[in-house]
C-alpha cells in the first residue's frame, strides 16, 4: 500500500528529527523498531545527514539503552551498501564503536549490538575493514567481547572477527597475534550455541586462510582440533544450523591441512578425524567436497602403501 508506506516514511523521518530533540533515547528506540520491520527506511536515513551525527553522539554519550539501539541501527543500516559506506566514512563513528567494545560496564545486549554493528560495517567492505584494523584498540576490543559471558555477544564477536579479517592480510595478522583471540574462538566452537559455533568456525577458517602463522597458532591451541572435529556432522545428523557449522569447521580444517606437513600430522593424529572426514566426503551433505579436499591434502604426505 503506497499510502501506508508514505505514512510510515513520514513517521520514520519525524523520529529521525527527534534524535536531536529532548528525548533521543525514545527516538532511537522507535527508529530501531521500524528498521527491524522493513528495509524501505534505508533511503530515508541516507537523505538525513543530521541523523548520523545524532547516532554518533548516542554511541559516545548516551545511556546503555540508547547505545544499544544506536548500535542496532548501525548494524541494520549497514545492510545497505550506500549507508554502509556513509557510516564507515563518518568521522569518529568507528572509533566510538571500538570504545564501546572496550567498555566493561556495557550490558550484554549492548555488547552484542556493538559487535554486530562493527561486523556489518566490515561485511564485504574492504575500506571499512582497513579502517577498523587501523584503530589500535580494535583487536583487543573484539577479543574482549568474544571472551565475555554472553552467548549472543560471543556469537556476534565471532561474526565480526570473521568479517574484519576476511580477505585482509593485515587484519589477519593483527587478530591472529592478539592474545586470546584464537583461544576465545576455540572456546566458542567447543561450548557455544549452534549459531555461535557456526560463526566461530568461520572466523577460524578466515584467520587460517593463506596464513601459515595463524594456522600454526590454531593447531597449537589446546583442544582446537578436537573442537572442530566435534562440530563435523555425520550424514545422519539433522538440523540445518549444525550442517552449516559443520561445513565451516571442515573449511577451517582444510585450510589448516594445506598449511604444512607439521599441521597435517597433528590433524591426522587427532583421534577420529580421518574417519569423520571420510564419512562426510562420501556423502552429499554440505561440505562433502571440502572434506575430500582436506583428505587429499592430509594424505599427500603418505605413499599409497601407508594410506592403505
Amino acid at each position: 500500500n503506497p499510502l501506508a508506506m508514505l505514512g510510515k516514511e513520514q513517521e520514520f523521518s519525524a523520529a529521525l528529527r527527534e534524535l536531536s530533540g529532548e528525548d533521543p533515547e525514545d527516538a532511537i528506540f522507535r527508529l530501531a523498531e521500524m528498521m527491524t520491520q522493513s528495509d524501505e527506511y534505508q533511503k530515508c536515513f541516507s537523505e538525513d545527514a543530521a541523523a548520523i551525527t545524532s547516532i554518533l553522539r548516542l554511541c559516545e554519550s548516551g545511556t546503555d539503552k540508547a547505545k544499544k539501539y544506536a548500535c542496532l541501527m548501525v548494524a541494520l543500516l549497514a545492510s545497505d551498501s550506500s549507508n554502509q559506506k556513509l557510516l564507515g566514512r563518518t568521522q569518529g563513528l568507528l572509533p566510538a564503536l571500538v570504545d564501546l567494545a572496550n567498555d566493561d560496564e556495557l550490558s550484554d545486549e549492548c555488547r552484542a549490538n556493538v559487535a554486530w554493528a562493527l561486523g556489518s560495517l566490515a561485511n564485504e567492505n574492504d575500506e571499512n575493514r582497513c579502517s577498523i584494523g587501523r584503530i589500535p584498540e580494535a583487536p583487543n576490543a573484539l577479543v574482549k567481547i568474544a571472551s565475555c559471558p554472553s552467548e549472543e555477544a560471543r556469537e556476534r564477536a565471532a561474526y565480526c572477527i570473521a568479517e574484519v579479517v576476511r580477505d585482509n592480510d593485515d587484519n589477519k595478522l593483527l587478530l591472529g597475534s592478539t592474545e586470546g583471540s584464537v583461544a576465545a574462538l576455540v572456546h566458542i566452537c567447543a561450548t557455544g550455541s549452534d549459531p555461535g559455533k557456526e560463526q566461530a568456525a568461520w572466523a577460524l577458517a578466515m584467520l587460517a586462510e593463506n596464513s601459515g602463522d595463524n594456522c600454526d597458532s590454531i593447531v597449537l591451541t589446546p583442544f582446537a582440533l578436537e573442537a572442530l572435529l566435534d562440530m563435523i556432522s555425520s550424514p545422519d545428523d539433522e538440523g540445518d544450523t549444525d550442517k552449516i557449522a559443520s561445513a565451516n569447521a571442515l573449511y577451517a580444517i582444510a585450510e589448516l591441512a594445506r598449511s604444512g606437513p607439521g599441521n597435517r600430522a597433528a590433524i591426522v593424529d587427532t583421534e577420529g578425524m580421518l574417519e569423520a572426514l571420510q564419512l562426510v566426503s562420501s556423502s552429499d551433505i554440505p561440505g562433502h567436497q571440502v572434506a575430500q579436499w582436506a583428505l587429499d591434502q592430509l594424505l599427500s604426505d603418505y605413499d599409497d602403501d601407508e594410506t592403505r
Side-chain angles (χ1 to χ4, degrees):
N1 187 331
L3 288 177
M5 192 61 221
L6 178 61
K8 290 180 179 179
E9 288 179 357
Q10 291 172 340
E11 181 185 1
F12 189 81
S13 296
L16 282 175
R17 291 191 295 272
E18 291 171 20
L19 279 176
S20 55
E22 295 181 356
D23 194 358
E25 185 174 296
D26 178 70
I28 196 68
F29 171 75
R30 289 190 291 116
L31 286 166
E33 287 280 289
M34 285 186 276
M35 282 292 301
T36 59
Q37 297 169 11
S38 174
D39 290 336
E40 296 293 330
Y41 299 116
Q42 295 277 8
K43 183 180 177 182
C44 297
F45 176 84
S46 65
E47 295 173 348
D48 194 327
I52 302 178
T53 303
S54 298
I55 289 175
L56 172 58
R57 186 167 59 249
L58 289 175
C59 288
E60 291 175 331
S61 58
T63 63
D64 186 274
K65 180 180 177 181
K67 290 173 180 176
K68 177 178 73 173
Y69 286 110
C71 290
L72 176 59
M73 276 287 289
V74 173
L76 295 170
L77 288 164
S79 65
D80 176 85
S81 59
S82 297
N83 284 334
Q84 184 191 49
K85 292 176 183 176
L86 189 65
L87 289 163
R89 293 171 181 173
T90 298
Q91 185 173 1
L93 179 60
L94 291 176
L97 292 172
V98 170
D99 285 345
L100 286 178
N102 258 324
D103 188 347
D104 293 326
E105 302 301 318
L106 289 184
S107 66
D108 288 341
E109 288 183 328
C110 191
R111 282 171 170 259
N113 285 353
V114 171
W116 187 11
L118 284 166
S120 297
L121 288 168
N123 181 35
E124 302 293 339
N125 188 311
D126 197 53
E127 180 182 347
N128 288 348
R129 287 173 184 156
C130 291
S131 295
I132 294 169
R134 284 193 291 267
I135 301 172
E137 300 82 5
N140 283 316
L142 295 179
V143 173
K144 182 179 288 188
I145 298 181
S147 307
C148 79
S150 165
E151 276 199 359
E152 183 185 6
R154 292 200 305 269
E155 173 197 337
R156 299 295 190 188
Y159 159 74
C160 183
I161 290 171
E163 292 301 333
V164 168
V165 305
R166 188 177 183 182
D167 299 326
N168 189 299
D169 292 341
D170 290 339
N171 288 351
K172 283 183 201 289
L173 180 62
L174 278 172
L175 266 298
S177 60
T178 297
E179 183 178 359
S181 59
V182 173
L185 294 171
V186 169
H187 183 69
I188 298 170
C189 286
T191 66
S193 62
D194 285 344
K197 291 180 178 182
E198 176 187 329
Q199 297 296 342
W202 186 242
L204 287 173
M206 293 298 95
L207 281 169
E209 193 175 54
N210 300 317
S211 176
D213 288 343
N214 285 351
C215 287
D216 293 344
S217 296
I218 293 168
V219 170
L220 290 172
T221 298
F223 308 112
L225 295 176
E226 290 82 357
L228 292 171
L229 171 60
D230 285 345
M231 292 172 63
I232 298 176
S233 297
S234 76
D236 297 328
D237 288 342
E238 297 180 358
D240 291 339
T241 302
D242 286 346
K243 294 292 192 298
I244 297 172
S246 175
N248 290 350
L250 287 165
Y251 187 68
I253 291 167
E255 284 296 330
L256 296 174
R258 76 186 185 101
S259 64
N263 289 340
R264 285 195 287 273
I267 295 169
V268 169
D269 289 343
T270 301
E271 185 176 357
M273 181 69 79
L274 288 180
E275 292 84 353
L277 292 174
Q278 288 166 343
L279 189 62
V280 174
S281 68
S282 62
S283 72
D284 60 356
I285 66 173
H288 67 96
Q289 292 173 316
V290 178
Q292 185 59 57
W293 177 43
L295 275 172
D296 291 342
Q297 294 173 91
L298 290 172
L299 300 178
S300 65
D301 296 323
Y302 302 88
D303 62 30
D304 289 342
D305 290 336
E306 289 176 301
T307 57
R308 280 197 295 269

